[in-house]
Amino acid sequence: MLIILLGLLLVGALITKLNTPEPKADSQWKQHLAQENQGMQQNLNQMKGNDAYANYLKSEIAINQYRIDHNLEPAQGTTLWSFVEDSTSIMILVISIFTIIVVSTSIASEFNTGTIKLLLIRPIYRTEILLSKYIAALLFALLSLVVLFLFSWLIGGIFFGFGGADEVHLSYIGGEVQETSWTLAIWKEYLLHGASLCMMVTLAGVIASLFRNGGLSIGLTIFLLMGSNTILTLISKYEWVKYVLFANLDLTQYDNGTQLREDMSLGFSLGVLAVYYVIFVICGWLFFTKRDVKA
Amino acid sequence: MSRSVEEKKPAVKLEHVTKKIGGKTIIDDLSFEIYKGEVFGFLGPNGAGKTTTIRMLVGLMKMTKGNIFIQGHSIKGEFKEAIRQVGAIVENPEMYKFLTGYQNLKHYARMIPGIDKKRIDEVVKLVELEERINEKVKRYSLGMRQRLGVAQAMLHRPSVLILDEPTNGLDPQGIHDLRNYLHELAYKEGVAVIVSSHLLSEMQLMCDRIGIIQKGKLLGVESVNDFVHQGGEKVRLTVDDGAMAAKVIHQKLAMESASIETETIEIEAGREKVPVIIDTLVHANVKIYEVVSVTQSLEDRFLEVTGGKALV
């Protein structure tokens, strides 16, 4: 699975490399940034209500201004770090799917093959067996993230030059622009995506414990993962949508100003996710430990 | 073969075990005991509840009522202590096909403390899988999987060994070896062995006592010898005149006889009665061509007890 992950990264890098023209040095980048800022400022002035988007625009304006003031030219085209950043969300989706397959197979396929019987007649509680399967799946996800980081860095370096490795990352924190490390910024993004990863993997575990059928649980969870956005658009006009699991899965919405509803915040989403998580864990545990094994 | 088991405390004890699934009673008030050092056969037609009972014995299924104690530990309340004493195969010996036999054993060995490499090798040797142990299980024959299943069950030196249909897929030599091995375990190491099987003649050779279950109810637990002989020994006589012979025996010896054919009668009588019967008949001028003592096989007896229900 990790090899497929690396293969996808390589293909992604190749496509990006072939589709982007050689970056031209832009001697007038300061003027361009200033123009961009003007446009965004206009948007900001006309806009009412959408605080999240306003905040996002404010931070973009401040970062552009910072670049002009400190003579930090924005990188042109794809660089090592922008490749790492761009590959994040799609590759984490791939990792989610792989981990869902791992956790579903590890729990449910033992029922399909019948090996669960020989496993459960050891002096080990069913809770311990379920927990070790769950932890193993999460460790697999963590390992995949580390591999993703190292290799997207390496592949990004090989394709787009290691020269970009010491580029600084600018972030807008508490009304001020700060120079931070890219590594930190990327792992922050991994962490925000990680919440969704962890929830979907847990859900897959619950479905696997419930149906005791690997294929069903893989299919159903991946369907929910892929279809959640469509379902969300259909129901997004209702007030209660903010309590729906899928509305809270994407924590990056609070980072890039695309949050679903005004009355939601990072804290709110974490709270909702925590409630779902507890329900999932209790259900999964009940399904796995309390039912007869007929496999 | 006859050992006194009465004074020993039971290795496995079932107390009023009942299992209901969706309002239907699958197992109805099962109570019996299995002792150290005996091979106990669990016998019954398909769907009688043998496997369900075995699943409850090893904690894969919960009982609706009752309790099961293994070496005094309740499988419900003290699962770890109870199951620690048990080695088992439930239905087919399903192992991880993508692993080698050895890797499978190592996997199970890790889950119970105190099993070292030496013990794994010992068990492998015991089931005679040395040559193929490093091959993937998917390349094993059914018989080899069965033997690997036995190896897996034996790893932690359990004091109770439960084998569901252990002779399934074994060739005659394999069955013979398994039987000897189970006897050795029971008689030399004092393990309580529980086997279920459809092969009745096999059970007759393998088991000391058998419990018969039908439609979830226990019909009885008896020693194999008693069970077979309970129907009584019979003597089959071939004479020139069956009716005459029956009449003579009834009048002179007050014994009932059944006529099989016109020239053949069967008398319920032990070995010691045979000379008297012959003597009486000879004096009554009945010509005797053949005298055979008939012992019921376990299968005949089984069919009799379960009301002639077809097996297998």
CSV table of all heavy atoms in Angstrom, one decimal, chain A residues 110 113-126 128-129 133 289-295, chain B residues 19 21 55 58-62 79-80 83-84 88 90-92 94-96 107-108 111-112 152 156:
chain,number,residue,atom,x,y,z
A,110,GLU,N,-11.6,-11.6,9.5
A,110,GLU,CA,-11.4,-12.7,10.3
A,110,GLU,C,-12.7,-13.5,10.6
A,110,GLU,O,-12.7,-14.7,10.8
A,110,GLU,CB,-10.9,-12.3,11.7
A,110,GLU,CG,-9.5,-11.6,11.6
A,110,GLU,CD,-8.5,-12.2,12.4
A,110,GLU,OE1,-8.5,-13.5,12.6
A,110,GLU,OE2,-7.6,-11.5,12.9
A,113,THR,N,-13.2,-15.5,7.1
A,113,THR,CA,-12.3,-16.7,7.0
A,113,THR,C,-12.5,-17.6,8.1
A,113,THR,O,-12.1,-18.8,8.0
A,113,THR,CB,-10.9,-16.3,6.9
A,113,THR,OG1,-10.5,-15.6,8.1
A,113,THR,CG2,-10.6,-15.4,5.7
A,114,GLY,N,-13.1,-17.2,9.2
A,114,GLY,CA,-13.3,-18.1,10.4
A,114,GLY,C,-12.2,-18.1,11.3
A,114,GLY,O,-12.2,-18.7,12.4
A,115,THR,N,-11.1,-17.4,11.0
A,115,THR,CA,-9.9,-17.4,11.9
A,115,THR,C,-10.2,-16.7,13.2
A,115,THR,O,-9.5,-16.9,14.2
A,115,THR,CB,-8.7,-16.7,11.3
A,115,THR,OG1,-9.2,-15.4,10.7
A,115,THR,CG2,-8.1,-17.5,10.2
A,116,ILE,N,-11.3,-15.9,13.3
A,116,ILE,CA,-11.7,-15.2,14.5
A,116,ILE,C,-11.9,-16.2,15.6
A,116,ILE,O,-11.7,-15.9,16.8
A,116,ILE,CB,-13.0,-14.3,14.3
A,116,ILE,CG1,-13.2,-13.3,15.4
A,116,ILE,CG2,-14.2,-15.2,14.0
A,116,ILE,CD1,-12.3,-12.2,15.4
A,117,LYS,N,-12.4,-17.4,15.3
A,117,LYS,CA,-12.7,-18.3,16.4
A,117,LYS,C,-11.4,-18.7,17.1
A,117,LYS,O,-11.4,-18.8,18.3
A,117,LYS,CB,-13.3,-19.6,15.7
A,117,LYS,CG,-14.7,-19.4,15.3
A,117,LYS,CD,-15.3,-20.6,14.6
A,117,LYS,CE,-14.6,-20.9,13.4
A,117,LYS,NZ,-15.2,-22.0,12.6
A,118,LEU,N,-10.4,-19.0,16.4
A,118,LEU,CA,-9.1,-19.4,17.0
A,118,LEU,C,-8.5,-18.2,17.7
A,118,LEU,O,-7.7,-18.4,18.7
A,118,LEU,CB,-8.1,-20.0,16.0
A,118,LEU,CG,-8.5,-21.3,15.4
A,118,LEU,CD1,-7.5,-21.9,14.5
A,118,LEU,CD2,-8.8,-22.3,16.5
A,119,LEU,N,-8.8,-17.0,17.3
A,119,LEU,CA,-8.3,-15.8,17.9
A,119,LEU,C,-9.0,-15.5,19.3
A,119,LEU,O,-8.3,-15.2,20.2
A,119,LEU,CB,-8.5,-14.6,17.0
A,119,LEU,CG,-7.7,-13.3,17.3
A,119,LEU,CD1,-6.2,-13.6,17.4
A,119,LEU,CD2,-8.1,-12.3,16.3
A,120,LEU,N,-10.3,-15.7,19.3
A,120,LEU,CA,-11.0,-15.4,20.5
A,120,LEU,C,-11.0,-16.4,21.6
A,120,LEU,O,-11.5,-16.2,22.7
A,120,LEU,CB,-12.5,-15.1,20.1
A,120,LEU,CG,-12.7,-13.8,19.2
A,120,LEU,CD1,-14.2,-13.6,19.0
A,120,LEU,CD2,-12.1,-12.6,19.8
A,121,ILE,N,-10.4,-17.6,21.3
A,121,ILE,CA,-10.3,-18.6,22.3
A,121,ILE,C,-9.0,-18.6,23.0
A,121,ILE,O,-8.5,-19.6,23.5
A,121,ILE,CB,-10.7,-20.0,21.8
A,121,ILE,CG1,-9.8,-20.4,20.7
A,121,ILE,CG2,-12.2,-20.1,21.4
A,121,ILE,CD1,-9.9,-21.9,20.3
A,122,ARG,N,-8.3,-17.4,23.0
A,122,ARG,CA,-7.0,-17.2,23.7
A,122,ARG,C,-7.4,-16.5,25.0
A,122,ARG,O,-8.4,-15.8,25.1
A,122,ARG,CB,-6.1,-16.4,22.9
A,122,ARG,CG,-5.8,-16.9,21.5
A,122,ARG,CD,-5.1,-18.2,21.5
A,122,ARG,NE,-5.6,-19.0,20.4
A,122,ARG,CZ,-5.2,-20.2,20.1
A,122,ARG,NH1,-4.2,-20.8,20.8
A,122,ARG,NH2,-5.7,-20.9,19.1
A,123,PRO,N,-6.5,-16.6,26.0
A,123,PRO,CA,-6.8,-15.9,27.2
A,123,PRO,C,-6.6,-14.4,27.1
A,123,PRO,O,-5.8,-13.8,27.7
A,123,PRO,CB,-5.9,-16.5,28.3
A,123,PRO,CG,-4.8,-17.1,27.4
A,123,PRO,CD,-5.4,-17.5,26.1
A,124,ILE,N,-7.4,-13.8,26.2
A,124,ILE,CA,-7.3,-12.4,25.9
A,124,ILE,C,-8.7,-11.9,25.8
A,124,ILE,O,-9.5,-12.5,25.1
A,124,ILE,CB,-6.5,-12.1,24.6
A,124,ILE,CG1,-5.0,-12.5,24.8
A,124,ILE,CG2,-6.5,-10.6,24.3
A,124,ILE,CD1,-4.2,-12.5,23.6
A,125,TYR,N,-9.1,-10.8,26.4
A,125,TYR,CA,-10.4,-10.3,26.3
A,125,TYR,C,-10.7,-9.7,24.9
A,125,TYR,O,-9.8,-9.2,24.3
A,125,TYR,CB,-10.7,-9.2,27.3
A,125,TYR,CG,-10.7,-9.7,28.7
A,125,TYR,CD1,-9.9,-9.1,29.7
A,125,TYR,CD2,-11.6,-10.7,29.1
A,125,TYR,CE1,-9.9,-9.6,31.0
A,125,TYR,CE2,-11.6,-11.2,30.4
A,125,TYR,CZ,-10.8,-10.6,31.4
A,125,TYR,OH,-10.8,-11.1,32.6
A,126,ARG,N,-11.9,-9.8,24.5
A,126,ARG,CA,-12.3,-9.3,23.1
A,126,ARG,C,-11.9,-7.8,23.0
A,126,ARG,O,-11.5,-7.4,21.9
A,126,ARG,CB,-13.7,-9.6,22.9
A,126,ARG,CG,-14.1,-11.0,22.7
A,126,ARG,CD,-15.5,-11.1,22.1
A,126,ARG,NE,-15.9,-12.5,22.2
A,126,ARG,CZ,-17.1,-12.9,21.8
A,126,ARG,NH1,-18.0,-12.0,21.3
A,126,ARG,NH2,-17.5,-14.2,21.9
A,128,GLU,N,-9.5,-6.2,24.3
A,128,GLU,CA,-8.1,-6.1,24.0
A,128,GLU,C,-7.8,-6.4,22.5
A,128,GLU,O,-7.0,-5.7,21.9
A,128,GLU,CB,-7.2,-7.0,24.9
A,128,GLU,CG,-7.3,-6.7,26.4
A,128,GLU,CD,-6.6,-7.8,27.2
A,128,GLU,OE1,-5.4,-7.7,27.4
A,128,GLU,OE2,-7.3,-8.8,27.6
A,129,ILE,N,-8.4,-7.4,22.0
A,129,ILE,CA,-8.2,-7.7,20.6
A,129,ILE,C,-8.7,-6.6,19.7
A,129,ILE,O,-8.0,-6.2,18.8
A,129,ILE,CB,-8.9,-9.1,20.3
A,129,ILE,CG1,-8.1,-10.2,20.9
A,129,ILE,CG2,-9.0,-9.3,18.8
A,129,ILE,CD1,-8.8,-11.6,20.8
A,133,LYS,N,-6.3,-4.1,17.3
A,133,LYS,CA,-6.6,-4.0,15.8
A,133,LYS,C,-6.8,-2.5,15.4
A,133,LYS,O,-6.2,-2.0,14.4
A,133,LYS,CB,-7.8,-4.8,15.4
A,133,LYS,CG,-7.6,-6.3,15.3
A,133,LYS,CD,-8.9,-7.0,14.9
A,133,LYS,CE,-8.6,-8.5,14.8
A,133,LYS,NZ,-7.7,-8.8,13.7
A,289,THR,N,-17.8,-7.1,21.1
A,289,THR,CA,-17.6,-7.9,22.3
A,289,THR,C,-18.8,-8.7,22.8
A,289,THR,O,-18.7,-9.7,23.4
A,289,THR,CB,-17.0,-7.1,23.5
A,289,THR,OG1,-18.0,-6.1,23.8
A,289,THR,CG2,-15.7,-6.5,23.1
A,290,LYS,N,-20.0,-8.1,22.5
A,290,LYS,CA,-21.2,-8.7,23.2
A,290,LYS,C,-22.0,-9.7,22.3
A,290,LYS,O,-22.9,-10.3,22.8
A,290,LYS,CB,-22.1,-7.5,23.6
A,290,LYS,CG,-21.5,-6.6,24.6
A,290,LYS,CD,-21.3,-7.3,25.9
A,290,LYS,CE,-20.5,-6.3,26.8
A,290,LYS,NZ,-19.9,-7.1,27.9
A,291,ARG,N,-21.6,-9.8,21.0
A,291,ARG,CA,-22.4,-10.7,20.2
A,291,ARG,C,-21.7,-12.1,20.0
A,291,ARG,O,-20.5,-12.2,20.1
A,291,ARG,CB,-22.6,-10.0,18.8
A,291,ARG,CG,-23.6,-8.9,18.9
A,291,ARG,CD,-23.5,-8.0,17.7
A,291,ARG,NE,-23.8,-8.7,16.5
A,291,ARG,CZ,-23.3,-8.4,15.3
A,291,ARG,NH1,-22.4,-7.4,15.3
A,291,ARG,NH2,-23.6,-9.0,14.2
A,292,ASP,N,-22.6,-13.0,19.8
A,292,ASP,CA,-22.1,-14.4,19.6
A,292,ASP,C,-21.3,-14.5,18.3
A,292,ASP,O,-21.6,-13.8,17.3
A,292,ASP,CB,-23.3,-15.4,19.5
A,292,ASP,CG,-23.9,-15.6,20.8
A,292,ASP,OD1,-23.3,-15.3,21.8
A,292,ASP,OD2,-25.0,-16.2,20.9
A,293,VAL,N,-20.3,-15.4,18.3
A,293,VAL,CA,-19.5,-15.6,17.1
A,293,VAL,C,-20.0,-16.8,16.4
A,293,VAL,O,-20.0,-17.9,16.9
A,293,VAL,CB,-18.0,-15.7,17.4
A,293,VAL,CG1,-17.2,-16.0,16.2
A,293,VAL,CG2,-17.5,-14.4,18.1
A,294,LYS,N,-20.6,-16.6,15.2
A,294,LYS,CA,-21.2,-17.8,14.5
A,294,LYS,C,-20.4,-18.1,13.3
A,294,LYS,O,-20.7,-19.0,12.5
A,294,LYS,CB,-22.6,-17.5,14.1
A,294,LYS,CG,-23.6,-17.4,15.3
A,294,LYS,CD,-24.9,-16.9,14.8
A,294,LYS,CE,-25.7,-16.4,16.0
A,294,LYS,NZ,-26.8,-15.5,15.5
A,295,ALA,N,-19.3,-17.4,13.0
A,295,ALA,CA,-18.5,-17.5,11.8
A,295,ALA,C,-18.0,-19.0,11.6
A,295,ALA,O,-17.7,-19.6,12.6
A,295,ALA,CB,-17.3,-16.6,11.8
B,19,LYS,N,-29.6,-22.5,25.6
B,19,LYS,CA,-29.3,-21.4,24.6
B,19,LYS,C,-30.6,-21.2,23.8
B,19,LYS,O,-31.1,-22.1,23.2
B,19,LYS,CB,-28.2,-21.8,23.7
B,19,LYS,CG,-27.9,-20.8,22.6
B,19,LYS,CD,-27.2,-19.6,23.1
B,19,LYS,CE,-27.0,-18.5,22.0
B,19,LYS,NZ,-26.5,-17.3,22.5
B,21,ILE,N,-32.1,-18.8,20.7
B,21,ILE,CA,-31.9,-17.8,19.7
B,21,ILE,C,-33.2,-17.4,19.1
B,21,ILE,O,-33.9,-18.2,18.5
B,21,ILE,CB,-30.9,-18.3,18.6
B,21,ILE,CG1,-29.5,-18.6,19.3
B,21,ILE,CG2,-30.7,-17.2,17.5
B,21,ILE,CD1,-28.5,-19.2,18.3
B,55,ARG,N,-19.2,-24.1,21.0
B,55,ARG,CA,-19.0,-22.7,21.0
B,55,ARG,C,-19.3,-22.0,22.4
B,55,ARG,O,-18.6,-21.1,22.8
B,55,ARG,CB,-19.9,-22.0,20.0
B,55,ARG,CG,-19.4,-22.1,18.6
B,55,ARG,CD,-20.5,-21.7,17.6
B,55,ARG,NE,-20.1,-22.1,16.3
B,55,ARG,CZ,-19.4,-21.4,15.4
B,55,ARG,NH1,-19.0,-20.2,15.7
B,55,ARG,NH2,-19.1,-21.8,14.2
B,58,VAL,N,-16.3,-22.7,24.8
B,58,VAL,CA,-15.1,-21.9,24.6
B,58,VAL,C,-15.4,-20.4,24.6
B,58,VAL,O,-14.5,-19.6,24.3
B,58,VAL,CB,-14.3,-22.2,23.3
B,58,VAL,CG1,-13.8,-23.6,23.4
B,58,VAL,CG2,-15.2,-22.0,22.1
B,59,GLY,N,-16.6,-20.0,24.9
B,59,GLY,CA,-17.0,-18.6,25.1
B,59,GLY,C,-17.2,-17.9,23.9
B,59,GLY,O,-17.3,-16.6,23.9
B,60,LEU,N,-17.4,-18.6,22.7
B,60,LEU,CA,-17.7,-17.8,21.5
B,60,LEU,C,-19.2,-17.4,21.5
B,60,LEU,O,-19.5,-16.5,20.8
B,60,LEU,CB,-17.4,-18.7,20.3
B,60,LEU,CG,-15.9,-18.9,19.9
B,60,LEU,CD1,-15.7,-19.8,18.8
B,60,LEU,CD2,-15.2,-17.6,19.6
B,61,MET,N,-20.0,-18.2,22.2
B,61,MET,CA,-21.4,-17.9,22.3
B,61,MET,C,-21.7,-17.8,23.8
B,61,MET,O,-21.2,-18.5,24.6
B,61,MET,CB,-22.2,-19.0,21.6
B,61,MET,CG,-22.3,-18.9,20.1
B,61,MET,SD,-23.5,-20.1,19.5
B,61,MET,CE,-23.7,-19.5,17.8
B,62,LYS,N,-22.7,-16.9,24.0
B,62,LYS,CA,-23.1,-16.8,25.4
B,62,LYS,C,-24.3,-17.7,25.7
B,62,LYS,O,-25.1,-18.0,24.8
B,62,LYS,CB,-23.6,-15.4,25.6
B,62,LYS,CG,-22.4,-14.4,25.7
B,62,LYS,CD,-22.8,-13.0,26.1
B,62,LYS,CE,-21.6,-12.2,26.3
B,62,LYS,NZ,-20.8,-12.1,25.0
B,79,PHE,N,-13.3,-15.6,32.4
B,79,PHE,CA,-13.0,-16.1,31.1
B,79,PHE,C,-11.5,-16.4,30.9
B,79,PHE,O,-11.2,-17.5,30.4
B,79,PHE,CB,-13.4,-15.0,30.1
B,79,PHE,CG,-13.1,-15.3,28.7
B,79,PHE,CD1,-13.8,-16.3,28.0
B,79,PHE,CD2,-12.0,-14.7,28.0
B,79,PHE,CE1,-13.4,-16.6,26.7
B,79,PHE,CE2,-11.6,-15.0,26.7
B,79,PHE,CZ,-12.4,-16.0,26.0
B,80,LYS,N,-10.6,-15.5,31.3
B,80,LYS,CA,-9.2,-15.7,31.1
B,80,LYS,C,-8.7,-17.0,31.8
B,80,LYS,O,-8.0,-17.8,31.2
B,80,LYS,CB,-8.4,-14.5,31.5
B,80,LYS,CG,-8.3,-13.4,30.5
B,80,LYS,CD,-7.3,-12.4,30.8
B,80,LYS,CE,-7.3,-11.3,29.7
B,80,LYS,NZ,-6.3,-10.3,30.0
B,83,ILE,N,-10.4,-20.1,30.0
B,83,ILE,CA,-10.0,-20.4,28.6
B,83,ILE,C,-8.5,-20.7,28.5
B,83,ILE,O,-8.0,-21.4,27.6
B,83,ILE,CB,-10.3,-19.2,27.7
B,83,ILE,CG1,-10.5,-19.7,26.2
B,83,ILE,CG2,-9.3,-18.1,27.7
B,83,ILE,CD1,-11.8,-20.4,26.0
B,84,ARG,N,-7.7,-20.3,29.5
B,84,ARG,CA,-6.3,-20.6,29.6
B,84,ARG,C,-6.1,-22.1,29.6
B,84,ARG,O,-5.1,-22.6,29.2
B,84,ARG,CB,-5.7,-20.0,30.9
B,84,ARG,CG,-4.3,-20.3,31.2
B,84,ARG,CD,-3.4,-19.6,30.2
B,84,ARG,NE,-2.0,-19.9,30.4
B,84,ARG,CZ,-1.4,-21.1,30.0
B,84,ARG,NH1,-2.2,-22.0,29.3
B,84,ARG,NH2,-0.2,-21.3,30.2
B,88,ALA,N,-8.5,-25.7,21.6
B,88,ALA,CA,-9.7,-26.2,20.8
B,88,ALA,C,-9.6,-26.0,19.3
B,88,ALA,O,-8.8,-25.1,18.8
B,88,ALA,CB,-10.9,-25.4,21.3
B,90,VAL,N,-12.7,-25.4,16.6
B,90,VAL,CA,-14.2,-25.2,16.5
B,90,VAL,C,-14.5,-25.3,15.0
B,90,VAL,O,-14.0,-24.5,14.2
B,90,VAL,CB,-14.7,-23.9,17.0
B,90,VAL,CG1,-16.2,-23.8,16.9
B,90,VAL,CG2,-14.2,-23.7,18.5
B,91,GLU,N,-15.3,-26.3,14.6
B,91,GLU,CA,-15.6,-26.6,13.2
B,91,GLU,C,-14.3,-26.9,12.5
B,91,GLU,O,-13.4,-27.7,12.8
B,91,GLU,CB,-16.5,-25.6,12.6
B,91,GLU,CG,-17.9,-25.8,13.0
B,91,GLU,CD,-18.8,-24.8,12.3
B,91,GLU,OE1,-18.5,-23.7,12.2
B,91,GLU,OE2,-19.9,-25.3,11.9
B,92,ASN,N,-14.1,-26.1,11.4
B,92,ASN,CA,-12.9,-26.4,10.6
B,92,ASN,C,-11.7,-25.6,11.1
B,92,ASN,O,-11.9,-24.6,11.7
B,92,ASN,CB,-13.1,-25.9,9.1
B,92,ASN,CG,-14.4,-26.4,8.6
B,92,ASN,OD1,-14.7,-27.6,8.6
B,92,ASN,ND2,-15.3,-25.6,8.0
B,94,GLU,N,-9.5,-23.3,10.7
B,94,GLU,CA,-9.2,-22.2,9.8
B,94,GLU,C,-8.0,-21.4,10.3
B,94,GLU,O,-8.0,-20.8,11.4
B,94,GLU,CB,-10.4,-21.2,9.7
B,94,GLU,CG,-11.5,-21.8,8.8
B,94,GLU,CD,-12.9,-21.8,9.5
B,94,GLU,OE1,-12.9,-21.8,10.7
B,94,GLU,OE2,-13.9,-21.9,8.8
B,95,MET,N,-6.9,-21.4,9.5
B,95,MET,CA,-5.7,-20.7,9.9
B,95,MET,C,-5.5,-19.6,8.9
B,95,MET,O,-6.2,-19.5,7.9
B,95,MET,CB,-4.5,-21.7,9.8
B,95,MET,CG,-4.8,-23.0,10.5
B,95,MET,SD,-5.0,-22.8,12.3
B,95,MET,CE,-3.3,-23.2,12.9
B,96,TYR,N,-4.5,-18.7,9.1
B,96,TYR,CA,-4.3,-17.7,8.2
B,96,TYR,C,-3.5,-18.3,7.0
B,96,TYR,O,-2.4,-18.8,7.1
B,96,TYR,CB,-3.4,-16.6,8.8
B,96,TYR,CG,-4.1,-16.0,10.0
B,96,TYR,CD1,-3.8,-16.4,11.3
B,96,TYR,CD2,-5.1,-15.0,9.8
B,96,TYR,CE1,-4.5,-15.8,12.4
B,96,TYR,CE2,-5.7,-14.4,10.9
B,96,TYR,CZ,-5.4,-14.8,12.1
B,96,TYR,OH,-6.1,-14.3,13.2
B,107,HIS,N,2.1,-17.0,15.9
B,107,HIS,CA,1.1,-16.0,16.1
B,107,HIS,C,0.3,-16.3,17.4
B,107,HIS,O,0.1,-15.5,18.3
B,107,HIS,CB,0.2,-15.9,14.9
B,107,HIS,CG,-1.0,-15.1,15.1
B,107,HIS,ND1,-1.0,-13.7,15.3
B,107,HIS,CD2,-2.3,-15.4,15.0
B,107,HIS,CE1,-2.3,-13.3,15.4
B,107,HIS,NE2,-3.1,-14.3,15.2
B,108,TYR,N,-0.1,-17.6,17.4
B,108,TYR,CA,-0.9,-18.0,18.6
B,108,TYR,C,-0.1,-18.2,19.9
B,108,TYR,O,-0.5,-17.9,21.0
B,108,TYR,CB,-1.6,-19.4,18.3
B,108,TYR,CG,-2.7,-19.2,17.2
B,108,TYR,CD1,-2.6,-19.9,16.0
B,108,TYR,CD2,-3.7,-18.4,17.4
B,108,TYR,CE1,-3.5,-19.7,15.0
B,108,TYR,CE2,-4.7,-18.2,16.5
B,108,TYR,CZ,-4.6,-18.9,15.3
B,108,TYR,OH,-5.6,-18.7,14.3
B,111,MET,N,0.2,-15.1,22.0
B,111,MET,CA,-0.9,-14.6,22.8
B,111,MET,C,-1.0,-15.3,24.2
B,111,MET,O,-1.8,-14.9,25.0
B,111,MET,CB,-2.2,-14.8,22.0
B,111,MET,CG,-2.3,-13.8,20.9
B,111,MET,SD,-3.9,-14.0,20.1
B,111,MET,CE,-3.4,-15.0,18.8
B,112,ILE,N,-0.2,-16.3,24.4
B,112,ILE,CA,-0.2,-16.9,25.7
B,112,ILE,C,1.2,-17.0,26.2
B,112,ILE,O,2.1,-17.4,25.6
B,112,ILE,CB,-0.7,-18.4,25.6
B,112,ILE,CG1,-2.2,-18.3,25.1
B,112,ILE,CG2,-0.7,-19.1,27.0
B,112,ILE,CD1,-2.7,-19.7,24.7
B,152,GLN,N,-2.0,-26.2,17.0
B,152,GLN,CA,-2.4,-25.0,17.6
B,152,GLN,C,-3.1,-25.1,18.9
B,152,GLN,O,-2.9,-24.4,19.9
B,152,GLN,CB,-3.2,-24.2,16.5
B,152,GLN,CG,-4.1,-23.1,17.0
B,152,GLN,CD,-5.5,-23.7,17.5
B,152,GLN,OE1,-5.9,-23.3,18.6
B,152,GLN,NE2,-6.1,-24.5,16.8
B,156,HIS,N,-0.2,-24.6,24.3
B,156,HIS,CA,-0.1,-24.1,25.6
B,156,HIS,C,-0.3,-25.2,26.7
B,156,HIS,O,-0.7,-24.9,27.8
B,156,HIS,CB,-0.9,-22.9,25.9
B,156,HIS,CG,-2.4,-23.1,25.4
B,156,HIS,ND1,-2.8,-23.3,24.1
B,156,HIS,CD2,-3.5,-23.2,26.2
B,156,HIS,CE1,-4.1,-23.5,24.1
B,156,HIS,NE2,-4.5,-23.5,25.3
